[in-house]
């Protein structure tokens, strides 16, 4: 009797082990669907509409099939990747391997799409190539086959417009000892004619940006005035110690020439902005001179020509969003 019980016990263990193995291997590798990426290398231009990329499996299964999308080259500021309806599919901090994105083909479905957008920026560049790879995700219920890696070749775009950008990006430690974003402080960018008549202003963004389309303004001189309005805008904390604002101003013919002037010694949290009683919070020294298709920016305090250049055949950038190198989110 004891012998029989022992045999039954061993038989029960074998059934339990088989049952566990079956749970873990619903779709053994030889029986998994194969996924293909329905795209080849993409040839696009900065600012183009997003391109849809679709992952398709050769048959539907009763489980989700997930996939990781990796950016293999250092082009975070050149492309954006997102899901259907503009959804955020960026991976969480718990990911493995290169930073990337994550999509899933739901059970009983056979495809999922994501979008690759070539970002517009102001910098003159040659064609850039961002490489993207699709690989098996965490669940691993499908095998990735053809087209798992492709390139996005991004051509530079040029503009005939003149653009000026005031930026003050970065972080600081507040009096509360927490980290805060400098975008909580309020800086302004204003554009005046020679007689200080206000023509345009950017007051509510970070960075602030003004675009002057080609041919809109007559030849002459114009004032470009960056200013510090308030340190405590939008509930911003004050730094724990007096700190210079990490500001700079950029003058550009997008895609043609760019010149950046460091303003990091101009404004300090100890003196604050106009709202805090700083009468020198607005910097009146940059003059733009338009002569035909030539744009010249001068520092009238020093007499220095900061930049001078002609326009180049291109597009108007007035309706394109400005993206900055190093500002990926």
């Amino acid at each position: 009797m004891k012998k029989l019980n022992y045999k039954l016990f061993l038989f029960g263990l074998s059934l339990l082990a088989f049952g566990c193995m079956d749970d873990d291997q619903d779709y053994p590798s030889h029986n998994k669907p194969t996924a293909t990426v329905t795209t080849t290398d993409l040839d696009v231009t900065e600012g183009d509409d997003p391109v849809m990329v679709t992952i398709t499996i050769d048959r539907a299964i009763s489980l989700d099939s997930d996939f990781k999308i990796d950016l293999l080259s250092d082009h975070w500021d050149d492309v954006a990747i997102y899901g259907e309806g503009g959804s955020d599919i960026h991976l969480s901090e718990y990911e493995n391997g290169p930073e990337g994105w994550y999509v899933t083909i739901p059970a009983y479905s056979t495809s999922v799409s994501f979008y690759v957008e070539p970002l517009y920026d102001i910098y003159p560049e040659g064609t850039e190539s961002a490489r993207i790879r699709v690989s098996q995700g965490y669940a691993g219920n499908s095998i990735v086959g053809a087209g798992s890696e492709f390139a996005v070749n991004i051509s530079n775009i040029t503009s005939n417009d003149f653009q000026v950008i005031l930026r003050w990006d970065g972080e600081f430690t507040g009096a509360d000892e927490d980290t805060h974003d400098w975008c909580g402080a309020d800086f302004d960018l204003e554009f005046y004619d020679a007689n200080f008549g206000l023509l345009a202003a950017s007051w509510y963004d970070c960075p602030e940006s003004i675009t002057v389309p080609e041919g809109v303004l007559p030849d002459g001189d114009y004032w470009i005035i960056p200013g510090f309005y308030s340190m405590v805008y939008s509930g911003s904390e004050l730094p724990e110690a007096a700190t210079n604002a990490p500001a700079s101003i950029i003058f550009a013919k997008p895609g043609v020439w760019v010149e950046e002037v460091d303003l990091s010694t101009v404004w300090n949290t100890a003196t604050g902005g106009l709202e805090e009683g700083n009468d020198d919070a607005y910097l009146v020294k940059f003059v733009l001179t338009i002569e035909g298709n030539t744009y010249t920016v001068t520092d009238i305090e020093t007499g220095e020509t900061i930049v001078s250049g002609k326009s180049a055949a291109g597009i108007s950038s007035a309706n394109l969003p400005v993206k900055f190198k190093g500002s990926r989110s």
Side-chain angles (χ1 to χ4, degrees), residues 138-171:
Y138 296 126
N141 291 318
S142 291
I143 299 170
V144 179
S148 61
E149 187 174 326
F150 59 95
V152 183
N153 302 312
I154 308 167
S155 299
N156 185 53
I157 198 169
T158 62
S159 170
N160 281 337
D161 299 340
F162 173 80
Q163 193 161 28
V164 56
I165 301 113
L166 175 64
R167 59 188 298 180
W168 61 101
D169 52 341
E171 296 179 336

Side-chain angles (χ1 to χ4, degrees), residues 105-312:
I105 298 177
Y108 304 108
S109 297
T110 57
S111 67
V112 66
S113 296
F114 62 93
Y115 294 83
V116 179
E117 180 182 2
L119 299 177
Y120 164 78
D121 65 38
I122 62 174
Y123 297 92
E125 303 158 317
T127 297
E128 300 171 293
S129 184
R131 295 204 64 81
I132 294 173
R133 177 182 64 197
V134 176
S135 58
Q136 196 176 70
Y138 296 126
N141 291 318
S142 291
I143 299 170
V144 179
S148 61
E149 187 174 326
F150 59 95
V152 183
N153 302 312
I154 308 167
S155 299
N156 185 53
I157 198 169
T158 62
S159 170
N160 281 337
D161 299 340
F162 173 80
Q163 193 161 28
V164 56
I165 301 113
L166 175 64
R167 59 188 298 180
W168 61 101
D169 52 341
E171 296 179 336
F172 64 86
T173 301
D176 58 2
E177 298 186 355
D178 287 337
T179 299
H180 298 274
D181 196 316
W182 266 103
C183 275
D186 186 8
F187 284 78
D188 294 335
L189 183 61
E190 299 172 347
F191 189 76
Y192 294 84
D193 63 21
N195 297 314
F196 288 95
L198 183 64
L199 298 176
S202 181
W203 291 328
Y204 303 108
D205 296 322
C206 180
E208 306 288 8
S209 175
I210 293 174
T211 297
V212 181
E214 183 189 35
V216 170
L217 295 176
D219 288 1
D221 293 336
Y222 300 89
W223 291 96
I224 298 169
I225 301 179
F228 183 15
Y229 183 74
S230 176
M231 183 61 211
V232 293
Y233 177 75
S234 189
S236 173
E237 287 285 334
L238 288 172
E240 60 182 348
T243 305
N244 286 340
S248 64
I249 191 166
I250 301 169
F251 306 102
K253 297 284 286 184
V256 183
W257 47 260
V258 175
E259 188 68 31
E260 184 167 1
V261 178
D262 181 20
L263 301 179
S264 63
T265 60
V266 174
W267 296 292
N268 189 281
T269 57
T271 51
L274 184 67
E275 188 75 357
E276 286 82 49
N278 181 3
D279 293 334
D280 297 320
Y282 283 68
L283 199 59
V284 184
K285 67 181 224 168
F286 297 118
V287 172
L288 167 67
T289 301
I290 300 176
E291 294 179 315
N293 65 349
T294 299
Y295 290 72
T296 302
V297 178
T298 304
D299 182 337
I300 63 166
E301 288 184 357
T302 64
E304 173 193 4
T305 297
I306 295 172
V307 65
S308 183
K310 293 184 177 181
S311 60

Side-chain angles (χ1 to χ4, degrees), residues 48-112:
D48 278 357
D49 290 336
V51 178
M52 184 174 71
V53 178
T54 300
I55 303 172
T56 303
I57 54 177
D58 56 11
R59 60 186 173 85
I61 59 175
S62 61
L63 299 173
D64 290 348
S65 291
D66 59 333
F67 302 92
K68 188 168 184 276
I69 305 162
D70 294 322
L71 185 59
L72 300 180
S73 48
D74 186 20
H75 286 279
W76 283 97
D77 306 306
D78 301 312
V79 295
I81 295 178
Y82 45 85
E84 297 280 3
S87 60
D88 182 9
I89 56 173
H90 189 257
L91 275 168
S92 74
E93 60 184 305
Y94 301 106
E95 66 190 84
N96 295 315
E99 188 173 0
W101 298 264
Y102 190 76
V103 291
T104 299
I105 298 177
Y108 304 108
S109 297
T110 57
S111 67
V112 66

